[in-house]
Amino acid sequence: MLIDAKLLAADRALDQAWRGGVGVAKAVTHAKKFTESFRFDVMMKDATSIVSAHHSCTSDEALSRIVFVSQHTNRRLRDIAQGVIAAEAADGQALAVHPPRLYRFTL
């Protein structure tokens, strides 16, 4: 099992703050920053794997498609990735009401 370096750094910062009793708020902020970036990485991997599966392309090509849509719609990568994941979840659950599909991944 691999331990992510970002999570390890966040855990160490919290440990040091706990032992020293000072800088706890700063350590918590630091840990949250690392956790947010870790969540974003996981979300982007999920979105690229979904786009890759739907378009029979590599994960690098899928990421390029997501970046292309981001640049041409002036939206953040995080928003596009969340939309892709939400649409896939709605398709998988066969929901009657689907989230709006704002993007078509065709290059």
Side-chain angles (χ1 to χ4, degrees):
M1 180 169 116
L2 289 172
I3 298 174
D4 187 26
K6 294 176 184 176
L7 292 177
L8 186 60
D11 188 51
R12 284 184 182 156
L14 286 174
D15 285 344
Q16 288 174 353
W18 181 261
R19 278 188 236 124
V22 293
V24 175
K26 183 178 178 182
V28 169
T29 303
H30 191 63
K32 284 182 181 179
K33 182 179 92 175
F34 283 122
T35 305
E36 283 295 318
S37 66
F38 180 71
R39 284 187 199 143
F40 179 70
D41 291 344
V42 170
M43 185 176 16
M44 286 305 298
K45 284 182 183 178
D46 289 346
T48 55
S49 66
I50 291 168
V51 172
S52 176
H54 278 276
H55 294 284
S56 302
C57 61
T58 66
S59 61
D60 290 337
E61 291 170 342
L63 180 60
S64 295
R65 288 174 183 236
I66 293 171
V67 169
F68 178 84
V69 171
S70 171
Q71 291 172 344
H72 286 79
T73 60
N74 198 25
R75 297 194 49 149
R76 297 183 331 178
L77 284 173
R78 180 182 309 268
D79 296 338
I80 293 170
Q82 285 175 342
V84 168
I85 294 168
E88 180 67 14
D91 287 347
Q93 295 176 0
L95 296 177
V97 178
H98 290 275
R101 293 186 182 264
L102 302 175
Y103 324 104
R104 298 203 69 178
F105 290 97
T106 56
L107 289 176

